[in-house]
Amino acid sequence: MSAPSEDSHPSSEVASNNSIDTPVTGDSQNSENDSETSEKIIIGMVTDTKDVFAKFDADGNRSWSDKPPTDLEEAPENETTKKFAIIVRKNVFSEKPKQASSTKPLEIDSLVIQSPLLKRALGDILRDYPGITTDVTRLKFFAPFECFVHRWEELEEAIADEDRDATTREHLQLLHKILTDELSATIQLRKDYFKNKVTDFEHCWFLFTPGCTILTELHGQPIAARFNRGSYVQTQCGMMYSIDCSYIDWDGVRVGWVTKSTAISQFHGTKSFSKLSCYPLEYHPQRATIEDQLRERGRRWEALRGFRYKAYSGIALYTPDQKTLSRERVTCRIVLDGARWEDANPNHLIYLETIHEVDHSEVDYEMPPLNKYHILLTSPMVRGYALKNKRWMQFFIDSVHEIDFHEGAFDSLVLSQERKNLILAFAESQVKHRDSFDDVVKGKGRGIIMLLSGGPGIGKTLTAEVVAEQMRVPLYTMSAGDLGSSSFDVDENLTKLMSMVSNWNAVLLLDECDVFLEARTAADLERNRIVSIFLRTLEYYEGILFLTTNRINNMDSAFQSRIHLTLEYPNLDAAARRTIWTTFLDRAAGDEAQDKENRIDEAALSRLCTLEINGRQIKNIMKMAQLLAMQTGTALQFEHVQTVLRIQGHPVGDE
């Protein structure tokens, strides 16, 4: 009995999806009833199969019968057809009126390659072409035969290769003739378009050979990517040629391929390759220049992998929710940390196909450098945390630059040298030897906590800032308002922040933390919970923490055993104020292009030092005096400082 061809698709199969099954009919049913009296049937115990056949009535309802159909044709591919090198399967054009041709009554639907010699040759011609494996028993190619159009030159070279045996070349010539008869117009059109470097929308696919390097955009930045596949799709915005491509990215642990989708909108007539929204990089009018720029950016991207402390000035991206991608200007220092970026953005994880597998067995394992090809295809973005904006963001590599550290910051701190040395020694030792000391309970008591107390504007906050600047580590500043008002919010936010900061070996400054330190009372249970949470969190903090307060006398007694160093800052005396005035005057003179020339002499400086104001007030006065001098177009003079002081109620009379 002949069976339907594996490639045939009877209309009855389509209709069967919505048909109604009815029991098997036929004479066999009667015979089974007759045998019940003579022989007992044991269900499912006969080692054999029974074929039943579907049949459909005029309404499309399906039933089953043990009688085979009588209108079956003999299978077109059988033992006789196996001897041919190629089987050509054709469609009748009249069956597809939308594709009807005025020159050919038939079109090729597909080719079945049976020749082992031809399969071997095609393995070389189509090497690395995605989605094609030639070493199979039944090798099929379907119209419109994109792979042969893309590798047409390679096919012709293989035919002309005299090193191949005669039979293989004959089989290649046969294939070439079949394809030429079918694709001659397409091949000629492709040659014409490539000669003029133009294309129409219908034949955009000519340009994009799978695996080729294309030029597209990511967040408005040019990027080179590997072309994977393309297809024409109908969208709400019209017909598009949809492109799936891949570029190199970093997820904080591994480097690999990340997929990206782009598209070319439908257009009329022909368009230059380089005018398309996406096209192969080799057709860029200044290919060498753009490749050099992309590779230079790629080398900087590679150098920024892992944890990096940098400065940033420009637009950055962040995701306030699962779907929205927002832009925000960032001008501050940043911490690049791809691994923790993923932890903070679980809805925006990076799924990649790795290039290099990470060897976790090696403690100091380093990712091998990228080759020249991979460097070209790297992302224009890096991920991390903006310390001033206080959010996880994506940063453009072109806006990342080195930090200009203030070399004299620690010397400008108005504090005794003994105290400065002690604070710096504690901080530096904590970074270098964090794991050398542990409590009875593992992970407890590894941090260093310093409490700075005193009036406003006398250098408490500045101490933490200059310590971080001297150590060249990030400074994370937060206040009670950043942690929330409820005990639940404080617990969650404080735990996340302390884990993040300690992982960076950064300095954490909790400014004006009186609400956490104040002694607990029976009248406010919610604040008691907040204080208890803060006490517990301090025990397990593993980094450097500076606490500043103006009300040390109200501190809860439980904090005394958790704070390693307490420093009380006295009010500024005349000598300290003189140092601060001199620091800001020198900085103002250094910012100006003119010579200093005794603009504020010693006598004037001595009069300024008599004013009982704090360091923050001195800074604000100097800033306003500078702005006043800039407005008048003159260098900073003592008269400008006098004017500001007089307005603020601190007049300094003439001697």
Side-chain angles (χ1 to χ4, degrees), residues 636-654:
L636 179 66
Q637 302 291 341
F638 182 53
E639 289 74 14
H640 298 125
V641 180
Q642 279 184 306
T643 301
V644 175
L645 288 170
R646 188 163 48 250
I647 293 172
Q648 293 193 346
H650 303 290
V652 178
D654 297 330

Side-chain angles (χ1 to χ4, degrees), residues 276-323:
L276 298 173
S277 59
C278 176
Y279 59 94
L281 181 58
E282 63 180 295
Y283 298 113
H284 192 281
Q286 296 179 324
R287 176 182 178 181
T289 302
I290 190 67
E291 285 188 356
D292 288 343
Q293 292 173 353
L294 293 175
R295 284 198 173 93
E296 192 276 331
R297 188 183 69 188
R299 283 187 284 270
R300 282 186 283 128
W301 177 89
E302 186 176 28
L304 292 174
R305 288 185 303 173
F307 168 77
R308 297 290 184 271
Y309 182 37
K310 300 293 178 181
Y312 190 84
S313 179
I315 298 297
L317 311 177
Y318 71 98
T319 51
D321 53 52
Q322 294 187 22
K323 297 181 179 180

Side-chain angles (χ1 to χ4, degrees), residues 74-84 87 114:
E74 186 178 352
E77 297 180 32
N78 48 42
E79 293 296 328
T80 304
T81 61
K82 288 183 179 180
K83 65 183 179 180
F84 297 102
I87 295 177
Q114 301 191 132

Side-chain angles (χ1 to χ4, degrees), residues 309 333 405-406 408-413 423-424 452 459-478 507-511 544 546 548 569 584 587 616 619:
Y309 182 37
R333 296 180 182 182
F405 289 100
H406 184 199
F410 198 69
D411 296 332
S412 66
L413 181 62
I423 293 172
L424 186 61
L452 312 179
K460 303 187 302 296
T461 302
L462 180 63
T463 299
E465 294 171 345
V466 298
V467 167
E469 194 76 3
Q470 181 73 13
M471 296 171 59
R472 301 195 173 190
V473 297
L475 171 69
Y476 191 93
T477 303
M478 66 177 179
V507 172
L508 176 59
L509 170 62
L510 182 51
D511 212 6
I544 304 167
F546 283 92
T548 68
Y569 285 60
F584 284 110
R587 190 174 299 171
R616 187 173 289 110
K619 179 186 72 173

Side-chain angles (χ1 to χ4, degrees), residues 153 184-200 203 206-207 270-271 273:
E153 290 76 12
S184 57
T186 302
I187 297 299
Q188 185 58 50
L189 182 62
R190 178 175 179 268
K191 290 180 179 179
D192 293 342
Y193 279 170
F194 274 67
K195 176 183 177 181
N196 296 284
K197 290 184 171 54
V198 297
T199 185
D200 61 2
H203 297 95
F206 283 173
L207 278 70
T270 59
K271 184 180 285 190
F273 291 169

Side-chain angles (χ1 to χ4, degrees), residues 57-321:
D57 60 20
D59 296 326
N61 297 321
R62 181 177 64 180
S63 61
W64 297 94
S65 171
D66 61 353
K67 294 181 178 180
T70 59
D71 57 349
L72 290 179
E73 295 183 4
E74 186 178 352
E77 297 180 32
N78 48 42
E79 293 296 328
T80 304
T81 61
K82 288 183 179 180
K83 65 183 179 180
F84 297 102
I86 303 173
I87 295 177
V88 182
R89 303 194 293 191
K90 296 184 177 183
N91 286 323
V92 179
F93 261 118
S94 59
E95 294 178 356
K96 298 182 179 181
K98 293 183 179 180
Q99 302 179 14
S101 171
S102 61
T103 59
K104 296 186 297 184
L106 298 173
E107 68 168 349
I108 297 179
D109 172 80
S110 55
L111 300 177
V112 180
I113 308 299
Q114 301 191 132
S115 165
L117 301 178
L118 193 52
K119 291 178 185 178
R120 192 177 306 115
L122 289 176
D124 297 331
I125 296 170
L126 301 176
R127 186 182 305 277
D128 298 327
Y129 199 96
I132 293 180
T133 302
T134 59
D135 187 17
V136 293
T137 303
R138 189 176 178 81
L139 177 60
K140 291 187 288 187
F141 296 96
F142 294 88
F145 308 109
E146 291 100 331
C147 60
F148 290 115
V149 175
H150 288 144
R151 298 287 176 91
W152 190 255
E153 290 76 12
E154 288 81 351
L155 175 60
E156 292 184 331
E157 290 175 2
I159 294 173
D161 186 2
E162 296 182 355
D163 292 336
R164 296 184 185 274
D165 63 87
T167 307
T168 300
R169 294 175 66 185
E170 287 178 3
H171 290 188
L172 285 169
Q173 289 169 352
L174 175 63
L175 176 63
H176 184 268
K177 181 181 182 304
I178 295 170
L179 293 174
T180 301
D181 292 342
E182 184 70 14
L183 304 174
S184 57
T186 302
I187 297 299
Q188 185 58 50
L189 182 62
R190 178 175 179 268
K191 290 180 179 179
D192 293 342
Y193 279 170
F194 274 67
K195 176 183 177 181
N196 296 284
K197 290 184 171 54
V198 297
T199 185
D200 61 2
F201 178 73
E202 182 184 357
H203 297 95
C204 280
W205 63 272
F206 283 173
L207 278 70
F208 299 98
T209 302
C212 73
T213 301
I214 62 174
L215 187 65
T216 182
E217 287 188 352
L218 182 65
H219 304 310
Q221 296 291 309
I223 179 176
R226 181 189 67 190
F227 176 81
N228 297 328
R229 64 187 64 86
S231 61
Y232 289 94
V233 295
Q234 183 67 45
T235 69
Q236 294 180 346
C237 300
M239 185 66 72
M240 300 274 188
Y241 182 64
S242 177
I243 293 173
D244 177 81
C245 58
S246 301
Y247 63 94
I248 301 296
D249 209 339
W250 160 260
D251 67 356
V253 179
R254 304 166 300 162
V255 173
W257 296 102
V258 174
T259 58
K260 173 188 178 336
S261 296
T262 186
I264 298 175
S265 301
Q266 187 174 16
F267 57 89
H268 297 290
T270 59
K271 184 180 285 190
S272 173
F273 291 169
S274 60
K275 298 298 182 182
L276 298 173
S277 59
C278 176
Y279 59 94
L281 181 58
E282 63 180 295
Y283 298 113
H284 192 281
Q286 296 179 324
R287 176 182 178 181
T289 302
I290 190 67
E291 285 188 356
D292 288 343
Q293 292 173 353
L294 293 175
R295 284 198 173 93
E296 192 276 331
R297 188 183 69 188
R299 283 187 284 270
R300 282 186 283 128
W301 177 89
E302 186 176 28
L304 292 174
R305 288 185 303 173
F307 168 77
R308 297 290 184 271
Y309 182 37
K310 300 293 178 181
Y312 190 84
S313 179
I315 298 297
L317 311 177
Y318 71 98
T319 51
D321 53 52

